Amino acid sequence: MTQEERSQETRSRILAVAEQSFAEHGYDVTSVDSICHGAGVSKGAFYHHFPSKGSVFVALLNAWLAELDRQFTAVQTGDGSVPRQVAAMAAGVNEIYHVAGTKWNILLEFWAKSKADPEVAHSTIDMIRRYQGFFQQVLERGVSEGSLQVKDSNLAATLMLSVVLGLLLQGILDPEGQDWGALMQRVLAMLMDSMGGRKS
Amino acid sequence: MTQEERSQETRSRILAVAEQSFAEHGYDVTSVDSICHGAGVSKGAFYHHFPSKGSVFVALLNAWLAELDRQFTAVQTGDGSVPRQVAAMAAGVNEIYHVAGTKWNILLEFWAKSKADPEVAHSTIDMIRRYQGFFQQVLERGVSEGSLQVKDSNLAATLMLSVVLGLLLQGILDPEGQDWGALMQRVLAMLMDSMGGRKS
DNA sequence: CGTCATAAACCGACTGGTTGGTATTAGTTT
DNA sequence: AAACTAATACCAACCAGTCGGTTTATGACG
């Protein structure tokens, strides 16, 4: 194994353990020592790869944002009518949710910390606005292709994003309460229907 | 000032300062010392009134739940058709939001901490389910009084709650982004409309 | 009314432990 | 040997909670 590979591996191991611990116990409660221990890495190694504990957090946040962009472009270059694409998105979320429900927990940590850290706040706001813009764009494409009828695409996108965020939040807080993934599929389908969605 | 009054006053002063600081800086970052300093109270006084830092937190949470109940009964005993009542609720939220937007910030802290503390988790889940039940009840009343047409009141209530939570979350995270209070009024009105809402 | 006993309210210095971060040293790869 | 990686020991700062002692309100009694 080359030096470069080894370095990347310990780095990603630190990130993985940190993400897990942040999601499960919270940022403040998670100590650097515990991350090092969990990753099988010394403190020296940790501070060799990251300048601070906070920098690990923002690295995770940026990874999320990058992943977001990847999914956006994947949907936008996909085929099928808009209602179908939305259904596919919901199904994708549902699948991820069932595979790794705890994956979403760290979102709460991002949001909570954004009240205290301006850098995190900027990223979360950016996240929200990009989702809003993305949804609006998708809806407008649906209108132009004739598969949707929406008067105020801005308002409709806000409604759609709110529903998604609300369900996500409930899924994070009360995982056992309902099958939130399936619910998101149903609710989004209902929403598409009420916007006069035609499957193709 | 009687002993009882004095005691109650310092107690509520501690709670007020703690709520403010929890909302602004987060639970873990807020130290007991800073609360004492902010409330003009010694540490001894603090631990005279509360057994622990965490107990202040759950006291605040319970105060929220109690306030919730008060609002529920207020709406249920109010008059007017269900769509009107919902509109009134939305207007109330809008007003509170404009008066004290930071009031909601501590909700994020409740939610974030519920991932680590089972007691808090129980309360937040209880909160969500009570809202869900309340909305469902309201919607069913709307159906029975003929002002609404809803097939699946459970699903509709979930949708409604998700929208509210989603908008609330966005309002907390991105207060300057939009006029979230007004948006909630518009979106809820739209929702009532789509459920065949008749104003009276 | 004045005095005194009692208990609740309050004070703040102190403690044991933990934390994020640093410095130093040793090992490994190229 | 140069450069990178990792391990250990360590530090200053901070924090939740404790504890012995002080003040204040209250009600009883002579």
Side-chain angles (χ1 to χ4, degrees):
Chain A
M1 197 190 291
T2 71
Q3 229 176 81
E4 169 75 13
E5 283 169 341
R6 202 150 66 95
S7 178
Q8 278 303 318
E9 165 148 344
T10 62
R11 190 189 145 89
S12 64
R13 214 162 57 228
I14 290 172
L15 284 172
V17 172
E19 180 168 17
Q20 158 75 22
S21 188
F22 288 164
E24 192 171 348
H25 306 105
Y27 173 84
D28 294 290
V29 176
T30 300
S31 70
V32 175
D33 275 320
S34 77
I35 295 174
C36 293
H37 182 263
V41 158
S42 75
K43 221 170 179 182
F46 179 94
Y47 280 100
H48 175 78
H49 287 280
F50 298 96
S52 70
K53 178 186 174 186
S55 69
V56 176
F57 191 78
V58 303
L60 288 171
L61 183 50
N62 288 332
W64 267 76
L65 291 175
E67 172 65 24
L68 207 65
D69 270 340
R70 229 169 296 136
Q71 298 203 352
F72 282 171
T73 56
V75 170
Q76 279 165 338
T77 59
D79 52 354
S81 71
V82 164
R84 278 193 192 285
Q85 285 187 1
V86 170
M89 274 178 54
V93 170
N94 185 23
E95 192 177 345
I96 296 173
Y97 185 78
H98 279 115
V99 171
T102 56
K103 179 189 185 345
W104 303 103
N105 289 4
I106 200 169
L107 268 177
L108 249 187
E109 213 57 34
F110 289 154
W111 296 337
K113 199 156 191 324
S114 81
K115 278 287 113 185
D117 185 330
E119 188 181 355
V120 177
H122 183 272
S123 288
T124 52
I125 290 176
D126 189 47
M127 203 161 158
I128 286 179
R129 295 194 180 164
R130 261 148 88 184
Y131 258 117
Q132 155 83 34
F134 171 70
F135 281 157
Q136 186 167 343
Q137 204 175 326
V138 167
L139 291 177
E140 280 168 1
R141 194 150 51 83
V143 170
S144 74
E145 79 181 12
S147 62
L148 290 181
Q149 281 137 28
V150 175
K151 284 180 237 171
D152 187 340
S153 69
N154 187 2
L155 188 66
T158 300
L159 171 61
M160 194 169 158
L161 177 54
S162 295
V163 170
V164 170
L165 285 179
L167 284 173
L168 208 56
L169 183 63
Q170 290 182 79
I172 292 172
L173 294 176
D174 186 12
E176 312 299 330
Q178 304 228 37
D179 185 344
W180 298 107
L183 221 57
M184 187 170 300
Q185 289 185 277
R186 286 182 66 192
V187 169
L188 281 181
M190 199 164 90
L191 221 55
M192 287 292 105
D193 259 8
S194 76
M195 290 175 185
R198 286 191 297 275
K199 283 290 170 66
S200 69
Chain B
M1 197 190 294
T2 71
Q3 221 175 97
E4 171 74 14
E5 285 170 339
R6 200 152 65 97
S7 179
Q8 278 303 318
E9 165 148 343
T10 62
R11 190 188 146 90
S12 64
R13 216 162 54 228
I14 289 172
L15 284 173
V17 171
E19 179 168 17
Q20 157 75 22
S21 189
F22 288 164
E24 193 172 347
H25 305 106
Y27 174 82
D28 294 289
V29 176
T30 300
S31 70
V32 175
D33 275 318
S34 76
I35 296 174
C36 294
H37 183 264
V41 158
S42 77
K43 219 165 182 183
F46 179 95
Y47 279 98
H48 175 75
H49 287 280
F50 298 94
S52 69
K53 179 186 171 185
S55 70
V56 176
F57 191 79
V58 303
L60 287 171
L61 185 50
N62 287 333
W64 267 76
L65 290 175
E67 171 66 23
L68 207 65
D69 269 339
R70 231 170 294 137
Q71 298 205 350
F72 282 171
T73 55
V75 169
Q76 280 166 334
T77 59
D79 52 353
S81 71
V82 164
R84 277 193 193 285
Q85 285 187 1
V86 170
M89 274 179 51
V93 170
N94 185 23
E95 193 177 343
I96 295 172
Y97 186 77
H98 279 115
V99 171
T102 57
K103 178 188 186 347
W104 304 103
N105 290 3
I106 201 169
L107 268 177
L108 251 186
E109 213 57 33
F110 290 154
W111 296 337
K113 201 161 186 329
S114 81
K115 277 288 112 184
D117 185 332
E119 187 181 357
V120 176
H122 182 273
S123 287
T124 53
I125 289 176
D126 189 49
M127 204 163 160
I128 285 179
R129 295 194 180 164
R130 261 149 89 185
Y131 258 117
Q132 156 82 34
F134 171 71
F135 281 157
Q136 187 169 343
Q137 204 175 327
V138 167
L139 290 177
E140 280 169 0
R141 193 151 50 83
V143 170
S144 73
E145 82 182 9
S147 62
L148 288 181
Q149 282 137 25
V150 175
K151 285 179 239 174
D152 186 340
S153 68
N154 187 1
L155 188 65
T158 300
L159 171 62
M160 196 169 157
L161 178 55
S162 296
V163 170
V164 170
L165 285 179
L167 284 173
L168 207 56
L169 183 63
Q170 290 181 78
I172 292 171
L173 294 175
D174 186 13
E176 312 300 330
Q178 301 228 41
D179 185 345
W180 299 106
L183 256 167
M184 188 171 298
Q185 288 185 278
R186 287 181 65 192
V187 169
L188 281 181
M190 200 164 89
L191 223 53
M192 287 292 106
D193 259 9
S194 76
M195 292 175 183
R198 286 191 300 276
K199 283 290 170 62
S200 69

